[in-house]
Amino acid sequence: MPIDMELRAALTVRQLLAGERFLAVLGEKTIPGKPECVASTRRFVRDIARDWGASEEICEVAELLTSEVVTNALVHGRGCHDELTVHVVVHREGQIMIVEVYDGNRNAPVVLASDDCEESGRGMALVGRLARSWGYRDTRLGKAVFFDLLAWP
């Protein structure tokens, strides 16, 4: 089952659990597992937030958190597939923007308690501080890590 079919099934479940509220997909992007592709994904999410009228502060936070989660997916997301790809989906549910990042590894993201001198390992801690909420869920092909922001109050 392709990721987009898996996503559609997840959306159906969410809509049922949410009393049939509509969860709009604002955009989807798949990138190859190359670090140089993170920048285009950051711009993609920032542009969606901006296009839909989110404040500049929310656009910047969405861009930063996307960078952290996509970078995590590239570093830790390789599963049993030969070639790593990362799939990003941006949703809107009322006032909330939800960004989901799919990768091929089922291991849960780890929040490290690193000190300020560390050069890496603080990404998910940053997501935890700046997002309204975040989490992950298993998928047939790996996992989806998501965060959400109050983007349209």
Side-chain angles (χ1 to χ4, degrees), residues 108-114 121-126 128 134:
V110 176
V111 180
L112 298 177
S114 60
R122 294 180 292 211
M124 293 313 296
L126 184 63
W134 77 275

Side-chain angles (χ1 to χ4, degrees), residues 25 28 32 51 53 55-57 66 68 73 75 77-78 83 89 95 101 104 111 115 117 120 131 133 151:
V25 175
E28 296 183 66
D51 288 350
S55 71
E56 190 57 34
E57 179 182 350
T66 298
E68 295 298 336
V75 171
R78 189 172 306 280
E83 193 164 326
V89 183
Q95 299 176 322
V101 178
V111 180
D115 64 43
C117 296
S120 66
S133 68

Side-chain angles (χ1 to χ4, degrees), residues 47-110:
D47 289 347
I48 287 173
R50 189 173 285 148
D51 288 350
W52 285 87
S55 71
E56 190 57 34
E57 179 182 350
I58 291 297
C59 294
E60 290 172 6
V61 170
E63 181 178 15
L64 173 64
L65 298 186
T66 298
S67 181
E68 295 298 336
V69 177
V70 170
T71 298
N72 252 15
L74 291 177
V75 171
H76 305 290
R78 189 172 306 280
C80 60
H81 307 295
D82 290 337
E83 193 164 326
L84 174 66
T85 60
V86 175
H87 187 72
V88 179
V89 183
V90 181
H91 307 279
R92 179 174 184 169
E93 183 175 19
Q95 299 176 322
I96 307 301
M97 180 170 67
I98 304 160
V99 178
E100 290 186 300
V101 178
Y102 293 77
D103 67 48
N105 189 319
R106 291 182 190 265
N107 293 336
V110 176

